[in-house]
Amino acid sequence: VPAGQSFLTINPAGARVVVFGVEPQDLAQVHPGAKVVLRRLDDRGQSWSAKVQQVLAQVDTSTRLAGVIVPLPANAQALPGTLLSGEITLAQQQSLAIPDSAVLSEHGRSYCFVDQHGIAQKRWIETGWQDGKWIEVRQGLQAGESVVSLGNYELQEGMPLRLEGKS
């Protein structure tokens, strides 16, 4: 057993854990206590919050992944063998993000439309991370500005806007 690695962990009776495979090159960023969102991979789509309990400093020879142990929360409705995914939060930072539906592309550059006193203003933006729902905006937009996320593909600079729910 490598130095600093647990040889045996005893969990209370009835406690359930999940062992996730993590790419070895990412293992150095994972630490006990890191937040994890567990999700069922079936049609229920349930999710639970948990924390990393232990990081195993060895690679499984069959999967070529290193293990991360996460206790399954008591309220988790998952039987042994249930397929789960885990999203580990490695770091957090505050940033400006807008719905991915608000971001359009032209000639390989990203832009969005901003509501400027009821008029559509085209704004070139520099984007960052994406998670399928949100896109980080690194430049070109200020916090508090309203972006158009519905029908924006039909807009042109200077067109009047109608806010949803208002005529």
Side-chain angles (χ1 to χ4, degrees):
V1 177
Q5 179 71 36
S6 297
F7 175 70
L8 177 67
T9 301
I10 299 175
N11 286 316
R16 301 176 296 163
V17 297
V18 179
V19 180
F20 285 105
V22 174
E23 293 291 340
Q25 65 267 23
D26 297 331
L27 199 60
Q29 299 174 66
V30 180
H31 302 286
K35 294 179 185 177
V36 181
V37 176
L38 304 171
R39 286 189 178 79
R40 288 180 68 123
L41 294 180
D42 59 15
D43 58 352
R44 292 186 189 181
Q46 294 172 310
S47 65
W48 306 276
S49 295
K51 292 187 177 185
V52 171
Q53 176 179 333
Q54 185 177 5
V55 179
L56 304 177
Q58 65 186 45
V59 174
D60 182 304
T61 56
S62 61
T63 64
R64 309 305 305 159
L65 299 173
V68 172
I69 298 175
V70 178
L72 197 58
N75 67 339
Q77 297 174 353
L79 296 172
T82 301
L83 295 178
L84 300 173
S85 70
E87 184 176 308
I88 301 171
T89 302
L90 300 178
Q92 288 183 311
Q93 67 178 39
Q94 285 194 342
S95 59
L96 180 62
I98 59 176
D100 66 349
S101 60
V103 179
L104 301 168
S105 181
E106 183 177 303
H107 306 298
R109 293 179 61 200
S110 297
Y111 68 96
C112 65
F113 282 101
V114 176
D115 178 359
Q116 200 72 349
H117 307 292
I119 303 296
Q121 180 186 40
K122 186 176 185 177
R123 191 78 63 81
W124 294 102
I125 57 175
E126 179 186 319
T127 60
W129 58 260
Q130 303 177 28
D131 72 359
K133 294 180 182 179
W134 298 93
I135 297 179
E136 176 188 25
V137 178
R138 293 182 177 163
Q139 285 187 329
L141 201 59
Q142 297 296 316
E145 291 186 293
S146 297
V147 296
V148 180
S149 61
L150 183 63
N152 51 353
Y153 54 90
E154 297 177 4
L155 283 178
Q156 292 180 14
E157 175 89 24
M159 289 179 77
L161 297 173
R162 189 182 89 223
L163 297 179
E164 190 173 295
K166 296 186 179 183
S167 39

